[in-house]
Amino acid sequence: AYEIYQCDWSSDVCSSDLSERALRAQTQGSLEQLVRVTADNVRGYLRAAAQIVQVNRANVQSGLLSADDPSGLLMNFQALLDSVPQLNGMLVGHADGRFTFLRRDGAEDRARYARVIEVSPARQVTTTFFDERRRPTAQSAAPSDYDPRTRPWYRAAAQQPGTTIWTAPYVFASSQQPGLTVAAGTTGVDGLAVVGADVQLRQEPGALVMMEAGTRLADVVKALNTLGATPQDLLAGLES
């Protein structure tokens, strides 16, 4: 059925109403595009990050991976970023403010950016840049007020220890790019440690190879966010 609308074209109310309908139509178009996307690829794009977080959390909990060893964590993160294109960064945050983080950087994301925050005996922030061959090219000890405990991924995981959570889209502190973080907390002798992975909202070459031309993960998340939905809603819908 079709609805016929009549309005005074000089009316601001009419223009606003039409703009709202246009926005709804655009959102609906994005959702229809989502329906056409290959379900396995969308599910795999998000689930790869979630599964890696779950495995790392289990390894920390069992002692196979030490959350208190920044060098070991960075080696682990390095291997994951090299092999999983969906990931933009890997991180671990502690209840006392310690933080270990590695993300893609540089031209075509081939370089790496690492940040380690220690709090004992005094707070120390070390930022290191690596080239494409993973050789350190620069290092800085410049102070930073970054505190992982204030970030949405840490807060959400702290409220549900042991549960894998997804944040809503937000701006990453280091890259200033929009993305999602999947995270899970585990409790140790030093309190809560949260393991996380960042997924940047842009399509990486080869990451969504079976999706239709023009489909971007950012479009999918934007449509979901407009409706107040979450990545979990996306996965639930694809599984139904």
Side-chain angles (χ1 to χ4, degrees):
Y2 296 90
E3 296 179 85
I4 298 177
Y5 297 94
Q6 295 182 342
C7 65
D8 178 359
W9 289 101
S10 65
S11 168
D12 290 338
V13 174
C14 179
S15 297
S16 175
D17 189 44
L18 290 174
S19 296
E20 184 177 351
R21 289 199 190 97
L23 177 59
R24 288 178 180 173
Q26 182 180 16
T27 301
Q28 182 63 31
S30 295
L31 291 175
E32 289 174 355
Q33 184 181 46
L34 169 60
V35 172
R36 295 193 297 269
V37 169
T38 304
D40 287 344
N41 282 271
V42 178
R43 184 163 54 238
Y45 192 97
L46 296 175
R47 277 195 169 166
Q51 289 170 348
I52 285 170
V53 165
Q54 291 162 1
V55 169
N56 265 5
R57 174 187 173 276
N59 287 341
V60 167
Q61 200 165 24
S62 67
L64 291 176
L65 179 66
S66 174
D68 301 317
D69 176 17
S71 296
L73 288 173
L74 290 176
M75 289 181 62
N76 171 272
F77 296 168
Q78 194 77 264
L80 291 171
L81 292 184
D82 285 345
S83 59
V84 185
Q86 291 95 322
L87 300 178
N88 178 255
M90 293 293 303
L91 52 90
V92 170
H94 293 265
D96 59 4
R98 285 176 294 145
F99 182 60
T100 303
F101 173 64
L102 183 74
R103 69 163 168 81
R104 302 181 187 277
D105 194 46
E108 299 182 5
D109 287 340
R110 292 180 179 177
R112 298 290 183 263
Y113 166 102
R115 171 163 286 185
V116 175
I117 300 177
E118 298 282 10
V119 297
S120 179
R123 179 179 171 87
Q124 180 176 351
V125 180
T126 304
T127 302
T128 308
F129 293 87
F130 299 88
D131 64 15
E132 296 178 5
R133 297 184 179 181
R134 310 299 175 254
R135 299 173 300 190
T137 58
Q139 191 169 75
S140 168
S144 169
D145 60 1
Y146 181 88
D147 187 336
R149 297 167 295 186
T150 67
R151 303 302 292 170
W153 52 268
Y154 189 95
R155 289 179 171 178
Q159 292 174 357
Q160 305 177 66
T163 300
T164 302
I165 62 90
W166 281 92
T167 67
Y170 71 104
V171 176
F172 294 150
S174 63
S175 66
Q176 292 300 299
Q177 296 297 317
L180 306 166
T181 298
V182 56
T186 179
T187 303
V189 293
D190 296 322
L192 181 70
V194 175
V195 179
D198 290 340
V199 180
Q200 194 159 296
L201 296 185
R202 68 183 184 191
Q203 183 171 336
E204 300 294 345
L208 303 176
V209 291
M210 293 184 64
M211 287 190 172
E212 292 187 0
T215 300
R216 296 179 302 158
L217 182 60
D219 295 331
V220 172
V221 175
K222 181 180 178 181
L224 290 169
N225 198 40
T226 299
L227 298 180
T230 66
Q232 290 97 320
D233 298 327
L234 169 60
L235 296 180
L238 292 174
E239 290 174 338
S240 62

